[in-house]
Amino acid sequence: MNTFLSYLSITALFAFVLLPVLLGLAREGRISRELREAERRREERLPEAAGAAQPLTATRRPYLRSWARI
């Protein structure tokens, strides 16, 4: 009976360790799928604008003054 309880406890600990990993993998897969679908919908929505000029985006400069440099 002790052997069975030992195997059962090791299996339970293994499951508790693996549960967050499996949940994280499932979440990452869902996020990746949603991003792929959004990109596909974006490309389908704007096929005529593919050759058009893209808008310019401003680049952010780092904030040079910091409380540590006073």
Side-chain angles (χ1 to χ4, degrees):
M1 190 67 176
N2 279 340
T3 305
F4 175 72
L5 289 177
S6 296
Y7 281 127
L8 186 62
S9 63
I10 293 298
T11 305
L13 287 173
F14 190 69
F16 283 134
V17 168
L18 276 182
L19 184 65
V21 172
L22 295 175
L23 290 176
L25 286 174
R27 183 173 184 254
E28 289 291 324
R30 179 181 53 86
I31 291 171
S32 296
R33 186 180 67 245
E34 289 177 358
L35 288 174
R36 280 193 309 268
E37 289 174 2
E39 183 67 26
R40 182 183 50 79
R41 282 192 307 259
R42 181 175 177 247
E43 289 174 357
E44 287 175 355
R45 190 182 71 206
L46 300 173
E48 68 278 353
Q54 298 294 323
L56 294 176
T57 57
T59 57
R60 292 185 68 146
R61 289 194 224 156
Y63 185 66
L64 296 179
R65 296 196 180 239
S66 172
W67 62 271
R69 294 188 193 177
I70 295 177

